Amino acid sequence: MTLHWWHITLSYLLTFGVFAALAIGAALRHRAARRLLDTLDPRADRRGEQP
């Protein structure tokens, strides 16, 4: 494999890694926000009881 293709492969792997890290971070922030919203919402315990 030539040096050019090594650079291409490395750039694709780095790009994939960065976007994967961003997606994981967003999912973790979303989960934390959902938990915080559930603790702060006074109607959270009655949500399941409503038709």
Side-chain angles (χ1 to χ4, degrees), residues 25-44:
L28 291 175
R29 283 192 313 272
H30 180 72
R31 187 173 67 176
R34 171 57 61 192
R35 276 185 285 151
L36 180 63
L37 226 107
D38 286 341
T39 59
L40 294 177
D41 188 10
R43 300 169 295 168

Side-chain angles (χ1 to χ4, degrees), residues 1-18:
M1 198 189 299
T2 63
L3 184 61
H4 170 73
W5 287 109
W6 278 109
H7 285 134
I8 299 272
T9 304
L10 183 63
S11 68
Y12 270 100
L13 289 174
L14 284 173
T15 302
F16 176 75
V18 166

